[in-house]
Amino acid sequence: MIPAGFIAAAEQAADLAGAVIRPLFRSPLLVEAKGDASPVTQADRDAEAAIRDFLAARFPDHGVIGEEHGEHRPDAEWVWVLDPIDGTRAFVTGRPLFGSLIGLLHRGVPVLGIIDQPVTGERWVGVAGKRTRFRAPLGGTASCRPCGRVGDAELSCTSPDMFLPPDRPGFERLRGAARRVTWGGDCYAYGLLAIGLVDIVVDATMKIWDWAALVPVVEGAGGRVTGWRGKALRADADGRVLAVGDAALLPEAVRLLTDR
């Protein structure tokens, strides 16, 4: 059982990140940078610093792992995992296909996760053992859709550039078997999977702050998140992540990705 105070704190952390990020989105400062990621990098750092200060005051015995400011007590029983702007390229180019990720590990297992889109007002809250909650101005429900065959599946990937040898052949097999492929989205694609608009998301080169928050969100909506071999993700995972909305897709997707 996850204490209610932990869930409330995670939502407050997402609010703090959004307050830092929203003023910069499509702002003159960002536009004037002309593709230079320095303003978004500063927003990332400032948002993470605000979250870490808040969590340190609230839970001094908890650990934190963040993309921007490193690790603090990573071996603690409870460890927060932070990525305030997941999808930097989308943010820099003014596309709302990014999100703030707030995750919580209990003894190394992801048990709480938030995907927050601070511009569109969409938020997914996943808690182990509970149904994922989705909040958005236009409504919607967190529920993955049935899809038992890769040939019928909508596949989403962040970028083809991340699939280098030896990952490329497996990815191409999966890509070729899927009904259709869309690119971009980063964490937002996993949110779309959790509301039944995408069936498979596959990525590589993922760090723990990229996937820790996604696991409770997707699995609380009825899907699965694993490595490419179908095993649960761990802190020392190799960066290859596979998410399916229907568990029936998992064996076929794993076979396509890993069959040599």
Side-chain angles (χ1 to χ4, degrees):
M1 181 69 70
I2 311 302
F6 290 10
I7 302 169
E11 295 222 48
Q12 288 179 268
D15 292 341
L16 287 171
V20 174
I21 293 164
R22 272 190 303 275
L24 189 56
F25 185 68
R26 296 182 185 171
S27 71
L29 176 62
L30 193 62
V31 171
E32 289 164 9
K34 296 182 179 175
D36 185 339
S38 56
V40 70
T41 300
Q42 191 59 49
D44 221 341
R45 290 174 179 164
D46 290 350
E48 185 176 315
I51 295 171
R52 293 173 81 112
D53 288 346
F54 166 73
L55 294 174
R58 190 77 175 268
F59 308 111
D61 57 335
H62 288 195
V64 181
I65 299 172
E67 180 178 16
E68 299 297 332
H69 296 291
E71 299 180 348
H72 171 69
R73 301 192 67 213
D75 297 324
E77 180 180 3
W78 300 92
V79 178
W80 296 88
V81 186
L82 312 173
D83 188 359
I85 301 179
D86 182 75
T88 300
R89 291 182 183 181
F91 186 88
V92 167
T93 54
R95 294 173 295 148
L97 300 178
F98 67 94
S100 298
L101 296 178
I102 313 292
L104 180 63
L105 309 179
H106 183 234
R107 296 175 179 162
V109 177
V111 294
L112 168 61
I114 289 180
I115 305 173
D116 186 70
Q117 215 310 320
V119 176
T120 64
E122 297 167 289
R123 179 174 293 181
W124 292 257
V125 181
V127 179
K130 295 186 177 182
R131 194 74 185 172
T132 292
R133 291 186 287 114
F134 176 61
R135 182 170 74 243
L138 296 177
T141 302
S143 182
C144 296
R145 66 185 175 192
C147 179
R149 295 178 59 254
V150 170
D152 297 327
E154 294 281 350
L155 171 66
S156 183
C157 311
T158 296
S159 168
D161 295 339
M162 65 170 50
F163 300 107
L164 302 174
D167 297 335
R168 191 78 191 193
F171 167 71
E172 291 294 346
R173 283 192 296 270
L174 180 62
R175 175 185 181 181
R179 177 185 178 191
R180 187 163 40 221
V181 181
T182 53
W183 304 103
D186 295 272
C187 66
Y188 195 76
Y190 294 82
L192 295 177
L193 184 145
I195 58 174
L197 298 175
V198 171
D199 302 298
I200 306 173
V201 185
V202 62
D203 282 316
T205 70
M206 299 271 276
K207 305 297 184 184
I208 190 170
W209 48 78
D210 296 315
W211 58 258
L214 307 178
V215 177
V217 169
V218 170
E219 298 199 343
R224 294 283 308 280
V225 183
T226 71
W228 280 20
R229 296 190 176 277
K231 305 297 183 183
L233 295 169
R234 301 171 57 90
D236 58 355
D238 62 11
R240 300 175 180 90
V241 173
L242 169 64
V244 296
D246 187 330
L249 286 168
L250 193 59
E252 186 182 1
V254 166
R255 179 181 60 77
L256 290 164
L257 287 169
T258 61
D259 185 6
R260 299 299 180 188

